[in-house]
Amino acid sequence: MSEFAGKDRIAARSVGRSEVGAGHALFGLALLAYPAVASDFFLTQIGGLSLIEGMIALSLMTLAGYGGMVSLAQLSVAGIAGYVVAILGHNDTGVQGYDWPWAVTVPLAILAAAATSALIGWISARTSGIYTIMITLAIATAVFYFAQQNYVIFNGHSGFAGIPAPVFFGEDWRAPVPFYYLCLFAAAASYAGVLYVRRSTFGLTVQGMRDNERRMRALGFSVILHKVFAWFLSGIVAGIAGVLLVWFHGRISPSSIDVAASLNILVMAVIGGLRHPIGPFVGALVVVLLQTFASDLVGAERFNTLIGLTFLIIVYISDDGILGLWRQFAPRFDHADRSAG
Amino acid sequence: MTGGPADMNRIGGGEARLNAMRGDVFAACAVLAMALWVFFGAWPDWLAGALISKKTFVSAVLNGLTLSGLYFLVASGFTLIFGLMRNVNLAHGSLYLFGAYVGYEASTRSDVWLLGVAAGALATAVVGLAMQILVFRRLEGDDLRQTLVTIGISIVAADLMLATWGGGAYQVTPPDALSGAVTLPIATGVTSSGTAVFLRYPFYRLIVAAIAIAIGCLLWLLLARTRIGMTIRAGVDDRAMLEASGVNAQIVFAGVFALGAGLAGLAGVIGGSAFAISPGEDIHYLLASLVVVIVGGMGSIAGAVIGSLLIGLSEQIGLVYFPTYSVVLTFLIMVATLAVRPRGIMGKAR
């Protein structure tokens, strides 16, 4: 999508140490030390959830920011992973639930999510820009309606409940502190993965396709293949997040992947900013905080209005979410951000 | 209706190609003959056995046509707006629902159904006009942000409508003259005494399809035969040239946006008289519009006709014959279309 193109051209490959600078180290330490000061509620309901939803938004951001493909189907991809865990692993619903060990179901779930993502990518790869938004929105809606009306596989409207988080290394990973560290590890790994891939030959090629698809095709690159692989990679991130999400809630149903929830993921990514992988996490934190404390501001009922209005205002005043505002008002960080973004 | 799509020029379509049209006419005649037989002929046992019964199948087709009509009304506005201004209005489903609620209020308070229809269409047209002036004009040329803003609007609108009208289901009451069931000259079976049993079908649903056909024809007349239509088509083909020739494009844009939004509201009241109005319907009709225009081709009225027929029929027929997989059928149609024609059946490469 050309909107992103002009702003951050492919940076030189030799980025040097700015990549893993002092900012990252400080920020990482703060996140590691967070359990020391946070209550259980802030640890899981705010910290854990922000990290998980941030990962789904990150999966959207990588496709949108580096590939120019805004996908509204990433929550559906995460939902596929969640459903695989619920169906193949243990659940208390009495439907499906084959009690396979987590070491088998989790890789399968992530693989299924990545494969679904690649399939969606293949379907939408011939289109670009707003066409991709429309097609992925149609796919997300279709997945939701399908999960809702199909009782054989997805157990219809009620979905699955009583899905336990695994116990290994002598830890119950559902407990607040271990679960937070699990989320933090997964999120940090995904974030680092995105940083690595965008500097790889593959990542630069995809960014080249975003900026000028015809030229890349003329140079001999297979555009479809690169795009589908980018979708596959982002599907892995969404899949990991989907597994964590189903452990977090302990249940999954069509309402976990409905259109409002899918749009919410887009809202997070856009509020945060689509040009740097930290954006989705910032956006997720803002949205989770708004959701949690909306009852004090506008009453629990109207939090969608609050989030919608916040989203509208940010889209209106900034061309790249909160990160865009940050760049506007803190010009001395501009250079560092540019070279990193 | 079967012959309609072939003649109906897509907005801004070029000259008619006679040979291609002749082939289309033959194909249309064949389909028409087949359809006549399916509806009016006596079915052999194997066919009735395969499709449960003739009554089931014919009812599903009629339901499908009703739904297609509704989908066309919603999607034509969506595609019209996209065709001219290249912006995707993801709040289009919200306009449908808003029009339905307004139509419900107006028609129950005044007891005049037509007043409800007019109020619904007018209210959404005004909202559409406001959206064009306040949102799209300011973010012109930035597709992504325009689309994002419409998503934001749809989130807020859905929540505010939930706050105003609650989570319950409403239905607009159509006038007495249009309600009730009619007997169609379609024999579905024979009683033991030897007289034929004819299909009875809700009259209002037939009216929905008739209104859709009428609106479709009016739209075609407007686009193909009037000066305003000519201006709109010129704007679709080359906006800069239209402006250079002295037309105030902003007025054209605002008019088309109001028209497209008004069609969504109109569809809301008409659909709300046949089906329930409740939260979630905005998403339903947004999805329908999206799939219809993806399949039919963005910006093409003829494409909207084809797309809505395909999707409406497949949805209803699928619902009868494989209830838990009917969404998959819709989805497969979309994927198959994209694989063969990425811009949709009537879409042109840009």
Side-chain angles (χ1 to χ4, degrees):
Chain A
M1 197 167 290
S2 54
E3 285 83 25
F4 305 119
K7 311 282 167 115
D8 57 347
R9 291 279 171 200
I10 303 173
R13 280 198 77 171
S14 54
V15 193
R17 262 165 295 165
S18 74
E19 194 76 28
V20 203
H24 275 96
L26 272 177
F27 197 55
L29 276 177
L31 283 173
L32 280 174
Y34 179 61
V37 291
S39 65
D40 283 357
F41 176 81
F42 269 85
L43 211 50
T44 51
Q45 300 295 327
I46 307 285
L49 192 60
S50 301
L51 288 168
I52 296 172
E53 304 215 306
M55 282 170 72
I56 307 177
L58 174 69
S59 146
L60 187 160
M61 174 269 146
T62 49
L63 286 176
Y66 301 130
M69 301 169 284
V70 180
S71 163
L72 288 176
Q74 293 319 102
L75 182 67
S76 314
V77 168
I80 298 283
Y83 267 112
V84 169
V85 168
I87 289 170
L88 296 180
H90 180 81
N91 72 68
D92 289 342
T93 313
V95 183
Q96 310 277 8
Y98 296 98
D99 282 327
W100 290 12
W102 68 269
V104 181
T105 59
V106 169
L108 277 180
I110 294 168
L111 199 66
T116 311
S117 181
L119 182 70
I120 298 173
W122 178 75
I123 293 168
S124 57
R126 287 148 158 258
T127 62
S128 61
I130 39 182
Y131 287 92
T132 314
I133 297 189
M134 291 182 9
I135 289 164
T136 51
L137 179 57
I139 291 173
T141 322
V143 170
F144 161 70
Y145 279 122
F146 182 53
Q148 192 171 42
Q149 71 176 202
N150 187 290
Y151 279 83
V152 182
I153 308 169
F154 295 100
N155 197 28
H157 184 71
S158 40
F160 300 98
I163 303 150
V167 176
F168 57 92
F169 300 147
E171 288 279 3
D172 174 12
W173 291 91
R174 187 65 157 284
V177 174
F179 188 75
Y180 171 78
Y181 279 118
L182 188 65
C183 293
L184 183 61
F185 174 73
S190 308
Y191 177 77
V194 170
L195 283 184
Y196 173 76
V197 169
R198 72 169 184 176
R199 292 285 158 232
S200 68
T201 314
F202 168 75
L204 291 172
T205 312
V206 170
Q207 289 169 66
M209 285 166 184
R210 170 198 67 194
D211 294 342
N212 194 335
E213 191 173 311
R214 282 176 69 189
R215 186 179 296 171
M216 294 305 277
R217 190 175 286 132
L219 286 171
F221 290 101
S222 166
V223 172
I224 297 271
L225 219 57
H226 277 81
K227 283 187 174 176
V228 169
F229 190 62
W231 280 81
F232 182 84
L233 291 180
S234 93
I236 293 179
V237 174
I240 298 172
V243 172
L244 291 173
L245 197 61
V246 81
W247 285 346
F248 175 80
H249 288 301
R251 61 190 152 75
I252 186 159
S253 67
S255 64
S256 338
I257 54 167
D258 67 5
V259 175
S262 297
L263 292 181
N264 225 6
I265 298 294
L266 177 77
V267 167
M268 289 172 192
V270 171
I271 284 185
L274 287 171
R275 288 195 205 115
H276 192 277
I278 200 66
F281 292 102
V282 174
L285 181 65
V286 170
V287 171
V288 168
L289 284 174
L290 278 180
Q291 272 171 350
T292 313
F293 298 105
S295 47
D296 303 331
L297 291 168
V298 287
E301 304 258 289
R302 293 284 77 80
F303 85 81
N304 266 333
T305 305
L306 181 71
I307 287 186
L309 286 176
T310 313
F311 176 71
L312 277 175
I313 290 168
I314 288 190
V315 170
Y316 237 98
I317 59 173
S318 165
D319 67 341
D320 189 34
I322 293 173
L323 288 189
L325 288 178
W326 175 263
R327 285 190 206 108
Q328 266 174 28
F329 294 107
R332 64 208 167 85
F333 290 99
D334 195 53
H335 174 70
D337 271 336
R338 234 1 108 70
S339 64
Chain B
M1 188 138 204
T2 331
D7 318 330
M8 205 178 265
N9 283 325
R10 79 160 76 91
I11 324 173
E15 63 241 33
R17 283 154 297 172
L18 270 176
N19 282 335
M21 269 183 69
R22 208 163 286 155
D24 288 351
V25 170
F26 277 126
C29 286
V31 170
L32 198 66
M34 185 101 149
L36 283 176
W37 178 78
V38 165
F39 275 82
F40 299 106
W43 280 22
D45 284 345
W46 61 266
L47 186 61
L51 296 174
I52 303 178
S53 75
K54 183 179 172 182
K55 187 183 173 190
T56 314
F57 181 74
V58 172
S59 305
V61 169
L62 289 177
N63 282 338
L65 286 177
T66 307
L67 199 62
S68 301
L70 216 48
Y71 284 175
F72 171 73
L73 289 179
V74 189
S76 58
F78 187 81
T79 204
L80 205 61
I81 291 171
F82 178 86
L84 185 62
M85 288 163 275
R86 292 285 167 280
N87 54 43
V88 175
N89 179 15
L90 292 181
H92 203 68
S94 315
L95 290 173
Y96 171 94
L97 191 57
F98 180 65
Y101 280 131
V102 170
Y104 170 81
E105 293 293 345
S107 67
T108 43
R109 282 181 196 179
S110 66
D111 267 335
V112 185
W113 181 71
L114 275 178
L115 208 66
V117 175
L122 212 65
T124 51
V126 170
V127 172
L129 202 62
M131 277 171 71
Q132 163 63 19
I133 292 169
L134 297 177
V135 177
F136 291 106
R137 193 173 291 179
R138 286 174 191 225
L139 297 175
E140 205 171 311
D142 196 342
D143 295 357
L144 181 68
R145 272 166 83 191
Q146 285 183 341
T147 311
L148 293 179
V149 168
T150 62
I151 289 177
I153 291 174
S154 76
I155 294 173
V156 174
D159 204 45
L160 291 181
M161 286 192 281
L162 182 68
T164 314
W165 283 284
Y170 296 81
Q171 191 157 9
V172 183
T173 326
D176 290 341
L178 300 181
S179 37
V182 285
T183 308
L184 298 177
I186 301 172
T188 53
V190 182
T191 57
S192 51
S193 59
T195 47
V197 178
F198 290 100
L199 183 75
R200 287 183 67 75
Y201 193 76
F203 184 47
Y204 181 74
R205 295 204 171 182
L206 297 177
I207 295 291
V208 172
I211 292 174
I213 294 171
I215 299 270
C217 293
L218 283 177
L219 263 184
W220 175 74
L221 278 177
L222 172 77
L223 289 172
R225 291 279 180 272
T226 65
R227 197 177 166 77
I228 300 170
M230 205 164 71
T231 316
I232 295 174
R233 280 183 293 136
V236 170
D237 282 349
D238 194 331
R239 187 194 295 182
M241 202 57 220
L242 177 73
E243 284 173 329
S245 60
V247 176
N248 186 343
Q250 290 301 345
I251 292 180
V252 181
F253 289 176
V256 169
F257 213 105
L259 175 67
L263 279 171
L266 179 81
V269 188
I270 287 171
S273 311
F275 307 105
I277 310 164
S278 59
E281 288 301 290
D282 49 347
I283 300 293
H284 175 185
Y285 284 92
L286 174 63
L287 174 73
S289 319
L290 284 176
V291 177
V292 163
V293 299
I294 289 170
V295 168
M298 292 295 285
S300 154
I301 294 287
V305 173
I306 297 172
S308 48
L309 275 175
L310 266 174
I311 301 305
L313 283 172
S314 73
E315 199 176 312
Q316 286 299 316
I317 293 174
L319 212 57
V320 172
Y321 292 103
F322 20 91
T324 62
Y325 293 94
S326 67
V327 171
V328 178
L329 187 64
T330 310
F331 180 68
L332 282 180
I333 292 176
M334 190 182 97
V335 172
T337 313
L338 283 174
V340 185
R341 290 185 68 93
R343 297 281 184 196
I345 294 172
M346 302 295 286
K348 46 182 175 178
R350 296 188 194 284

